[in-house]
Amino acid sequence: MKKLIKSTIFRLLLGVIIGLLIGQYLNNSALQVILSTRYILGQIIMFLVPLIIVGFVVSSIAKLDKSKTKIIGFSIIIAYLSSIGAGFLSTIMGYSILPNLEINKASDDLKELPQMLFKLDIPPVFEVMTALTLALMIGIGILWTEAKPLERAFDFFKDIVLLLVNRVLIPILPFYILANFALLSYEGSIQSQLPVFITVILIVIVAHFFWLAFLFTMRSS
């Protein structure tokens, strides 16, 4: 039972439930707290994402065999083609399934969120694609030059990033989810579109499993 309570999935679900429950009873002061909390936590998450990419990708590439650098290019091509295929799949499902859902387009009944009075901007060091490209270039450079001191430095950086993930990112995620769902509940969009919301989530989960099964089937054939 303790493992279940401490699990990230349980805490995320708890954040969703609490957010939906308290959202209907928020006053102006509580709304300002929730709005600022969501914004600041979102800024922290977006700040950490590029660091996570650099920390893990550089360290992983640097530990490859020098004679197998072609695998990196092949993996990039496969990942790109997989992204294109997944995009086409989502487009097909979007045009064939979503129009059949009864989505209430009326927004007159939705409450309007007040303007946020306090926000703290924490811009990331670089964008996600920049972080990915930089990580690939540095990782390949370390691999080709056999720069062991730099490899050890990025191993330490990876340990720091992993520590930040476990002690910062994962603990704040439930509060970020709670704030988002509390605001959705306050607006009334969740209550009016709950069946559609659940249906879309189920479609996304099924599509993920389908695409993963397709990729594993292609790999084994």
Side-chain angles (χ1 to χ4, degrees):
M1 189 65 180
K2 289 183 178 180
K3 289 184 178 180
L4 177 63
I5 295 175
K6 291 181 179 180
S7 66
T8 303
I9 295 178
F10 176 81
R11 292 180 178 180
L12 292 176
L13 291 175
L14 188 62
V16 171
I17 295 171
I18 295 175
L20 291 175
L21 291 176
I22 68 173
Q24 306 173 49
Y25 307 102
L26 295 176
N27 54 27
N28 289 333
S29 299
L31 273 173
Q32 289 299 328
V33 173
I34 296 293
L35 284 168
S36 298
T37 300
R38 180 185 67 168
Y39 185 83
I40 294 172
L41 293 182
Q43 290 287 295
I44 294 174
I45 292 170
M46 295 308 297
F47 178 83
L48 287 174
V49 169
L51 301 181
I52 293 171
I53 293 173
V54 172
F56 285 97
V57 173
V58 172
S59 182
S60 300
I61 294 177
K63 286 179 170 51
L64 291 175
D65 193 308
K66 189 176 181 180
S67 60
K68 296 181 179 180
T69 51
K70 293 181 180 179
I71 296 177
I72 301 173
F74 180 73
S75 300
I76 294 173
I77 294 173
I78 293 298
Y80 185 70
L81 293 176
S82 175
S83 300
I84 294 175
F88 276 114
L89 176 64
S90 61
T91 301
I92 293 170
M93 294 184 68
Y95 279 105
S96 60
I97 297 176
L98 294 184
N100 298 321
L101 300 179
E102 296 182 2
I103 301 177
N104 183 15
K105 297 181 181 180
S107 59
D108 297 335
D109 297 333
L110 298 182
K111 296 180 182 178
E112 187 175 349
L113 293 174
Q115 184 178 0
M116 184 168 46
L117 299 178
F118 174 77
K119 65 178 182 178
L120 180 65
D121 291 320
I122 311 174
V125 180
F126 27 64
E127 299 296 330
V128 172
M129 283 305 300
T130 303
L132 183 58
T133 305
L134 179 66
L136 287 171
M137 296 298 103
I138 294 177
I140 293 173
I142 293 174
L143 188 63
W144 283 344
T145 59
E146 298 182 356
K148 294 301 180 182
L150 197 55
E151 180 182 343
R152 286 194 295 271
F154 273 98
D155 285 340
F156 284 119
F157 181 69
K158 183 190 73 173
D159 294 337
I160 293 172
V161 169
L162 185 60
L163 191 67
L164 292 174
V165 169
N166 291 327
R167 298 192 178 182
V168 178
L169 181 61
I170 293 177
I172 68 175
L173 270 179
F175 296 100
Y176 180 70
I177 296 295
L178 186 153
N180 276 283
F181 276 88
L183 294 175
L184 290 174
S185 177
Y186 172 81
E187 289 178 312
S189 56
I190 283 290
Q191 292 88 332
S192 61
Q193 303 292 351
L194 185 59
V196 176
F197 178 77
I198 295 175
T199 303
V200 171
I201 292 296
L202 292 176
I203 291 172
V204 170
I205 293 174
V206 172
H208 271 80
F209 279 109
F210 172 80
W211 190 246
L212 288 174
F214 172 76
L215 292 178
F216 278 111
T217 302
M218 292 291 293
R219 171 65 180 85
S220 59
S221 61

